[in-house]
Amino acid sequence: MKKCPSCAEEIQDEAIKCKHCGESLNQTQRKINFSNLPRYYQEEFTKISESNEAYRGKWNWAAFFFGPLWALTKGIWLASIICIVVAVVTAGIGGIIYWFAFALRGNYQYYCSNVKNKQLLI
């Protein structure tokens, strides 16, 4: 028995698809090539991938200083739009809080957008 890298449920060692979440184990277990990314993101994505996403990335200064603009350049459009709307509705305070979220979780958001084609809210 082993744990599914996506949902952490127990599955058979020979399983090619998780019976709990439906995730294909061949895709999650293969080595993902990040050579088309800058070195910083290659290292971060490798750490995230090798830890089965337990590691969520470190503080990202570019994401902190440029917030939604940084996110848009990385293809993280959903979080960017939400940040801008929250900033307008809360007279900027919510936007500042969201910028900290970009700094803390930006690398993982970029990883999800790039590798899993999944947009995260925060």
Side-chain angles (χ1 to χ4, degrees), residues 4-6 23-32 49 52:
C4 171
S6 294
E23 183 73 27
S24 176
L25 301 175
N26 292 341
Q27 290 179 343
T28 56
Q29 290 177 340
R30 68 180 165 85
K31 188 82 169 166
I32 302 170
S49 179
N52 286 331

Side-chain angles (χ1 to χ4, degrees), residues 51-88:
S51 72
N52 286 331
E53 299 183 27
Y55 173 75
R56 298 293 176 109
K58 62 183 178 182
W59 182 271
N60 186 325
W61 283 105
F64 176 71
F65 286 120
F66 300 107
L69 180 62
W70 171 87
L72 284 173
T73 63
K74 303 301 180 198
I76 308 169
W77 55 268
L78 182 61
S80 299
I81 292 169
I82 292 173
C83 175
I84 292 166
V85 170
V86 167
V88 168

